[in-house]
Amino acid sequence: MPETNPQVAEIAAALRMAREARAAVDAIPSRYAGGLMALARERYERGDAGIHDRIAQGLDAVAAAIEQNAVFRRTLESPLIPAETQLKAVLAVLDDPATGLSVPREVRNFIGVVVRNRRAALLARIIAAFRALDAERRGEEQAEVVTAVPLDDTRRAQLLAALNRAGHARVRLAERVDPAILGGLVLKLGSRLYDSSIRSRLQRLAHAMKGAA
């Protein structure tokens, strides 16, 4: 039986630990989103017919604040800022009349739990996970689209029409802006990823040129 190279074994073990750690982190947003969906289901069964829509709209408002307010986003993402400071920052944004946010009590309480449990950096991913669960509840597919600039109504309609032609008739878009992709778009639909960004094209061109050198 051939001997195992200790260095190779060490690298393999490190990679395995990294995969396990990533899987554990990826499970956290789903767990929190599932808890919030369970709460919404319980309220719905008690007769609160609008609970799912209220929570979804409240989370959309928070997601927009995270996307548009860089200082707010950095505050949530920093592991050095105490939880209570992060929570005050969240509540300051939610209570600021200038933002015009309308966040129901259930969402405020939920965000408080997330922040106090030191999961503030995952808040955007938790919201995305809830959106996916809510889309499934509605019999829709959840698609995340990343663009360098916000989608206008025409481009949004064109994208939905293209998805419809590809057999995805009921798609709910979660839109995110990332100037780093330079142009084009990145679309994640279920386990499938479609990357037509300019950044990706430049990377492929660079690799091709390197291979031809």
Side-chain angles (χ1 to χ4, degrees), residues 159-174:
L159 177 57
L160 289 171
L163 290 170
N164 193 2
R165 289 193 299 271
H168 304 282
R170 300 190 64 189
V171 176
R172 185 180 182 188
L173 291 180

PDB file of all heavy atoms in Angstrom, residues 159-174:
ATOM      1  N   LEU A 159     -35.717  40.689 -19.201  1.00  0.00           N
ATOM      2  CA  LEU A 159     -35.144  39.559 -18.484  1.00  0.00           C
ATOM      3  C   LEU A 159     -36.227  38.551 -18.098  1.00  0.00           C
ATOM      4  O   LEU A 159     -36.059  37.335 -18.293  1.00  0.00           O
ATOM      5  CB  LEU A 159     -34.416  40.051 -17.230  1.00  0.00           C
ATOM      6  CG  LEU A 159     -33.811  38.987 -16.320  1.00  0.00           C
ATOM      7  CD1 LEU A 159     -32.836  38.108 -17.082  1.00  0.00           C
ATOM      8  CD2 LEU A 159     -33.126  39.636 -15.118  1.00  0.00           C
ATOM      9  N   LEU A 160     -37.352  39.034 -17.591  1.00  0.00           N
ATOM     10  CA  LEU A 160     -38.446  38.143 -17.218  1.00  0.00           C
ATOM     11  C   LEU A 160     -39.012  37.431 -18.444  1.00  0.00           C
ATOM     12  O   LEU A 160     -39.368  36.244 -18.374  1.00  0.00           O
ATOM     13  CB  LEU A 160     -39.541  38.930 -16.501  1.00  0.00           C
ATOM     14  CG  LEU A 160     -39.190  39.405 -15.084  1.00  0.00           C
ATOM     15  CD1 LEU A 160     -40.266  40.351 -14.555  1.00  0.00           C
ATOM     16  CD2 LEU A 160     -39.021  38.217 -14.148  1.00  0.00           C
ATOM     17  N   ALA A 161     -39.085  38.144 -19.569  1.00  0.00           N
ATOM     18  CA  ALA A 161     -39.581  37.529 -20.807  1.00  0.00           C
ATOM     19  C   ALA A 161     -38.633  36.426 -21.276  1.00  0.00           C
ATOM     20  O   ALA A 161     -39.073  35.357 -21.727  1.00  0.00           O
ATOM     21  CB  ALA A 161     -39.738  38.591 -21.892  1.00  0.00           C
ATOM     22  N   ALA A 162     -37.324  36.669 -21.168  1.00  0.00           N
ATOM     23  CA  ALA A 162     -36.335  35.656 -21.564  1.00  0.00           C
ATOM     24  C   ALA A 162     -36.440  34.429 -20.665  1.00  0.00           C
ATOM     25  O   ALA A 162     -36.363  33.283 -21.144  1.00  0.00           O
ATOM     26  CB  ALA A 162     -34.934  36.248 -21.507  1.00  0.00           C
ATOM     27  N   LEU A 163     -36.631  34.636 -19.373  1.00  0.00           N
ATOM     28  CA  LEU A 163     -36.795  33.511 -18.450  1.00  0.00           C
ATOM     29  C   LEU A 163     -38.081  32.741 -18.750  1.00  0.00           C
ATOM     30  O   LEU A 163     -38.117  31.509 -18.678  1.00  0.00           O
ATOM     31  CB  LEU A 163     -36.803  34.019 -17.006  1.00  0.00           C
ATOM     32  CG  LEU A 163     -35.464  34.533 -16.474  1.00  0.00           C
ATOM     33  CD1 LEU A 163     -35.657  35.237 -15.140  1.00  0.00           C
ATOM     34  CD2 LEU A 163     -34.469  33.388 -16.328  1.00  0.00           C
ATOM     35  N   ASN A 164     -39.114  33.486 -19.104  1.00  0.00           N
ATOM     36  CA  ASN A 164     -40.389  32.850 -19.460  1.00  0.00           C
ATOM     37  C   ASN A 164     -40.223  31.953 -20.678  1.00  0.00           C
ATOM     38  O   ASN A 164     -40.708  30.819 -20.720  1.00  0.00           O
ATOM     39  CB  ASN A 164     -41.441  33.940 -19.723  1.00  0.00           C
ATOM     40  CG  ASN A 164     -42.846  33.367 -19.774  1.00  0.00           C
ATOM     41  OD1 ASN A 164     -43.053  32.182 -19.578  1.00  0.00           O
ATOM     42  ND2 ASN A 164     -43.809  34.224 -20.051  1.00  0.00           N
ATOM     43  N   ARG A 165     -39.511  32.450 -21.691  1.00  0.00           N
ATOM     44  CA  ARG A 165     -39.279  31.651 -22.907  1.00  0.00           C
ATOM     45  C   ARG A 165     -38.448  30.403 -22.604  1.00  0.00           C
ATOM     46  O   ARG A 165     -38.561  29.390 -23.297  1.00  0.00           O
ATOM     47  CB  ARG A 165     -38.572  32.510 -23.968  1.00  0.00           C
ATOM     48  CG  ARG A 165     -39.446  33.585 -24.585  1.00  0.00           C
ATOM     49  CD  ARG A 165     -38.809  34.168 -25.829  1.00  0.00           C
ATOM     50  NE  ARG A 165     -37.524  34.804 -25.545  1.00  0.00           N
ATOM     51  CZ  ARG A 165     -37.380  36.074 -25.197  1.00  0.00           C
ATOM     52  NH1 ARG A 165     -38.460  36.859 -25.075  1.00  0.00           N
ATOM     53  NH2 ARG A 165     -36.178  36.585 -24.964  1.00  0.00           N
ATOM     54  N   ALA A 166     -37.617  30.495 -21.559  1.00  0.00           N
ATOM     55  CA  ALA A 166     -36.774  29.352 -21.197  1.00  0.00           C
ATOM     56  C   ALA A 166     -37.506  28.368 -20.290  1.00  0.00           C
ATOM     57  O   ALA A 166     -36.916  27.394 -19.824  1.00  0.00           O
ATOM     58  CB  ALA A 166     -35.511  29.847 -20.504  1.00  0.00           C
ATOM     59  N   GLY A 167     -38.794  28.624 -20.043  1.00  0.00           N
ATOM     60  CA  GLY A 167     -39.590  27.687 -19.263  1.00  0.00           C
ATOM     61  C   GLY A 167     -39.780  28.065 -17.811  1.00  0.00           C
ATOM     62  O   GLY A 167     -40.303  27.274 -17.029  1.00  0.00           O
ATOM     63  N   HIS A 168     -39.375  29.270 -17.437  1.00  0.00           N
ATOM     64  CA  HIS A 168     -39.526  29.726 -16.052  1.00  0.00           C
ATOM     65  C   HIS A 168     -40.609  30.810 -16.026  1.00  0.00           C
ATOM     66  O   HIS A 168     -40.329  31.993 -16.152  1.00  0.00           O
ATOM     67  CB  HIS A 168     -38.199  30.264 -15.521  1.00  0.00           C
ATOM     68  CG  HIS A 168     -37.073  29.278 -15.618  1.00  0.00           C
ATOM     69  ND1 HIS A 168     -36.918  28.230 -14.740  1.00  0.00           N
ATOM     70  CD2 HIS A 168     -36.056  29.163 -16.518  1.00  0.00           C
ATOM     71  CE1 HIS A 168     -35.850  27.523 -15.073  1.00  0.00           C
ATOM     72  NE2 HIS A 168     -35.314  28.070 -16.150  1.00  0.00           N
ATOM     73  N   ALA A 169     -41.850  30.349 -15.887  1.00  0.00           N
ATOM     74  CA  ALA A 169     -42.985  31.253 -16.065  1.00  0.00           C
ATOM     75  C   ALA A 169     -43.227  32.160 -14.862  1.00  0.00           C
ATOM     76  O   ALA A 169     -43.676  33.289 -15.017  1.00  0.00           O
ATOM     77  CB  ALA A 169     -44.250  30.449 -16.369  1.00  0.00           C
ATOM     78  N   ARG A 170     -42.937  31.658 -13.682  1.00  0.00           N
ATOM     79  CA  ARG A 170     -43.215  32.451 -12.474  1.00  0.00           C
ATOM     80  C   ARG A 170     -41.916  32.646 -11.703  1.00  0.00           C
ATOM     81  O   ARG A 170     -41.526  31.820 -10.881  1.00  0.00           O
ATOM     82  CB  ARG A 170     -44.256  31.757 -11.591  1.00  0.00           C
ATOM     83  CG  ARG A 170     -45.599  31.543 -12.274  1.00  0.00           C
ATOM     84  CD  ARG A 170     -46.641  31.094 -11.284  1.00  0.00           C
ATOM     85  NE  ARG A 170     -46.900  32.118 -10.279  1.00  0.00           N
ATOM     86  CZ  ARG A 170     -47.656  31.918  -9.190  1.00  0.00           C
ATOM     87  NH1 ARG A 170     -48.187  30.744  -8.951  1.00  0.00           N
ATOM     88  NH2 ARG A 170     -47.844  32.908  -8.330  1.00  0.00           N
ATOM     89  N   VAL A 171     -41.243  33.729 -12.003  1.00  0.00           N
ATOM     90  CA  VAL A 171     -39.949  34.019 -11.392  1.00  0.00           C
ATOM     91  C   VAL A 171     -40.060  35.313 -10.603  1.00  0.00           C
ATOM     92  O   VAL A 171     -40.581  36.316 -11.090  1.00  0.00           O
ATOM     93  CB  VAL A 171     -38.837  34.156 -12.457  1.00  0.00           C
ATOM     94  CG1 VAL A 171     -37.522  34.551 -11.792  1.00  0.00           C
ATOM     95  CG2 VAL A 171     -38.668  32.849 -13.220  1.00  0.00           C
ATOM     96  N   ARG A 172     -39.541  35.280  -9.391  1.00  0.00           N
ATOM     97  CA  ARG A 172     -39.482  36.477  -8.556  1.00  0.00           C
ATOM     98  C   ARG A 172     -38.029  36.926  -8.492  1.00  0.00           C
ATOM     99  O   ARG A 172     -37.156  36.171  -8.050  1.00  0.00           O
ATOM    100  CB  ARG A 172     -39.999  36.167  -7.154  1.00  0.00           C
ATOM    101  CG  ARG A 172     -40.084  37.391  -6.247  1.00  0.00           C
ATOM    102  CD  ARG A 172     -40.605  36.997  -4.891  1.00  0.00           C
ATOM    103  NE  ARG A 172     -40.742  38.153  -4.022  1.00  0.00           N
ATOM    104  CZ  ARG A 172     -41.029  38.077  -2.738  1.00  0.00           C
ATOM    105  NH1 ARG A 172     -41.213  36.917  -2.167  1.00  0.00           N
ATOM    106  NH2 ARG A 172     -41.131  39.172  -2.003  1.00  0.00           N
ATOM    107  N   LEU A 173     -37.772  38.130  -8.943  1.00  0.00           N
ATOM    108  CA  LEU A 173     -36.403  38.636  -9.003  1.00  0.00           C
ATOM    109  C   LEU A 173     -35.996  39.297  -7.691  1.00  0.00           C
ATOM    110  O   LEU A 173     -36.742  40.088  -7.125  1.00  0.00           O
ATOM    111  CB  LEU A 173     -36.257  39.664 -10.134  1.00  0.00           C
ATOM    112  CG  LEU A 173     -36.359  39.159 -11.574  1.00  0.00           C
ATOM    113  CD1 LEU A 173     -36.195  40.335 -12.535  1.00  0.00           C
ATOM    114  CD2 LEU A 173     -35.305  38.100 -11.864  1.00  0.00           C
ATOM    115  N   ALA A 174     -34.798  38.954  -7.238  1.00  0.00           N
ATOM    116  CA  ALA A 174     -34.151  39.674  -6.141  1.00  0.00           C
ATOM    117  C   ALA A 174     -32.982  40.415  -6.773  1.00  0.00           C
ATOM    118  O   ALA A 174     -32.014  39.788  -7.208  1.00  0.00           O
ATOM    119  CB  ALA A 174     -33.677  38.702  -5.073  1.00  0.00           C
TER     120      ALA A 174
END
